[in-house]
Amino acid sequence: MHDSVLADDQIFRKIADQSDVGIKLDTESIPVNPEVAGVTGMLGLEPLYLACEGRLVMFVPAKSADAVLAALHSSEHTEGAVVIGEVTGEMPGHVVMTTEIG
């Protein structure tokens, strides 16, 4: 795991810092269109460092996550909603990302 330096990570860092919590993200859980993955792979870019317009990040209590996902999955516009991480008491103020290599 390492501190993330995502462009979108600025909001995660701000939330982690202001709330005095840690945020753990799992890159394998973050949906990336195959076309985007293919092009960024050819160009040597990391898709998570690029802007993702039209994406919504929600922070919900863990006990409510399944119900929120079920509600989101009922709409064609949010049917691909997934859990991409968790808020933790570990490493307050930091955003940590688990990647395919650790």
Side-chain angles (χ1 to χ4, degrees), residues 52-97:
C52 293
E53 294 182 23
R55 297 289 181 167
L56 169 68
V57 175
M58 299 173 64
F59 288 81
V60 299
K63 64 183 178 185
S64 302
D66 289 338
V68 171
L69 281 175
L72 291 169
H73 290 162
S74 69
S75 170
E76 67 180 282
H77 301 290
T78 53
E79 62 189 11
V82 296
V83 174
I84 63 167
E86 66 179 318
V87 175
T88 178
E90 299 172 23
M91 299 179 59
H94 290 80
V95 178
V96 178
M97 182 173 298

Side-chain angles (χ1 to χ4, degrees), residues 2 8 15 54 58:
H2 65 281
D8 289 342
I15 290 169
M58 299 173 64

